[in-house]
Amino acid sequence: MPRPLSVQLYTVRDRLVADRQGTLGRLAALGYDAVEPYDVLADPKGLRRTLDDLGLAVSGAHAVQLLGPEPGHVLDAVAALGTDLAIVPAGIPPEEFTSRDGLARTAERLNSLAGVAGRHGIRIGYHNHWWEIEPRFDTPEGGVRHAVDVLAELLDPAVFLEIDTYWAAVGGADVPALLRRLGPRVRALHLKDGPGTKEDPNVAVGDGTLPVSEILAAAPEAWRVVEFDACAGGTEALFDALAASRAHLASLAAA
């Protein structure tokens, strides 16, 4: 694989509360090499020590708190986790992606964070859901682009994108084509699978509707981050699905 395979820790959020050490140990035992924390202010130094003991890297960190009035201490927490990629995963109203003015405001907000983050040695990224994909805009050439395409054109080069491939598909995108258009702007992928609906739980990567092989080929240098928003069947079913996801991704890398 181009990079170590990571897991978004939101996937195991309930188990982390009950047993952080044991849960992270299970992810390492499954063969994952990295994690992506989702709450950077929750004991970042302690989490880093645990991850170091288990040999797990940090591929990036979700930090919705960056949109608050004091991003400096959030960036310090990101740095304490041992990553230079801080990702805004939510917090911008969905309606901002339905107009060009809203997209311009969103880009200005993210671009302003990029300068602050740069002074901390950190890059800012943005993570999509379906609502950055569903709105379409006409192009001067007579084509149509998703809102995230327009946003990318307005972003400072220092701002990267983490494309959630499942939500992009749910929003109506041809995901490999979207990734090819965005090119090196995409530094990370969220890999999840399922029936392609907003409501249903995820399934193991490779067992759903997404063209996983084509997605990986369209962004070969991006971090691969496995995530489940929900998984049917309880804790053991979730860990089985995580194991199956890793096995499928490893088989694609070996092909």
Side-chain angles (χ1 to χ4, degrees), residues 16-146:
L16 281 177
V17 173
D19 179 9
R20 185 172 75 178
Q21 177 90 26
T23 300
L24 295 172
R26 287 193 72 173
L27 295 177
L30 290 177
Y32 286 94
D33 306 290
V35 298
E36 185 182 70
Y38 66 93
D39 184 359
V40 298
L41 297 182
D43 188 25
K45 292 181 180 179
L47 178 57
R48 173 69 184 274
R49 286 193 297 271
T50 300
L51 296 174
D52 286 347
D53 289 344
L54 294 168
L56 290 169
V58 177
S59 59
H62 280 198
V64 69
Q65 302 96 332
L66 286 167
L67 297 176
E70 297 182 9
H73 75 289
V74 182
L75 293 165
D76 289 339
V78 171
L81 285 167
T83 180
D84 61 354
L85 301 181
I87 301 154
V88 176
I92 296 174
E95 55 267 24
E96 289 289 76
F97 298 91
T98 62
S99 70
R100 292 185 182 275
D101 286 346
L103 289 167
R105 287 190 295 269
T106 298
E108 182 178 6
R109 195 170 186 184
L110 295 170
N111 291 343
S112 67
L113 279 174
V116 177
R119 293 191 287 275
H120 289 254
I122 291 172
R123 287 191 65 181
I124 292 292
Y126 183 76
H127 171 278
N128 68 283
H129 293 79
W130 66 86
W131 54 81
E132 301 92 345
I133 307 297
E134 284 182 342
R136 268 72 161 181
F137 295 84
D138 295 332
T139 68
E141 298 79 18
V144 178
R145 287 290 184 262
H146 300 283

Side-chain angles (χ1 to χ4, degrees), residues 114-233:
V116 177
R119 293 191 287 275
H120 289 254
I122 291 172
R123 287 191 65 181
I124 292 292
Y126 183 76
H127 171 278
N128 68 283
H129 293 79
W130 66 86
W131 54 81
E132 301 92 345
I133 307 297
E134 284 182 342
R136 268 72 161 181
F137 295 84
D138 295 332
T139 68
E141 298 79 18
V144 178
R145 287 290 184 262
H146 300 283
V148 74
D149 287 293
V150 179
L151 176 66
E153 295 170 355
L154 299 171
L155 290 174
D156 186 290
V159 180
F160 68 92
L161 293 173
E162 177 179 67
I163 295 298
D164 187 306
T165 58
Y166 188 72
W167 288 131
V170 169
D174 176 334
V175 182
L178 173 67
L179 294 172
R180 287 191 291 270
R181 288 197 303 274
L182 295 174
R185 175 79 72 176
V186 179
R187 293 289 302 273
L189 302 175
H190 266 202
L191 300 175
K192 61 181 73 162
D193 216 335
T197 63
K198 295 175 184 177
E199 300 84 11
D200 293 301
N202 299 122
V203 301
V205 176
D207 287 350
T209 58
L210 264 67
V212 180
S213 181
E214 292 87 347
I215 285 170
L216 298 180
E221 300 302 318
W223 275 100
R224 282 88 164 97
V225 184
V226 173
E227 183 187 36
F228 287 74
D229 290 312
C231 180

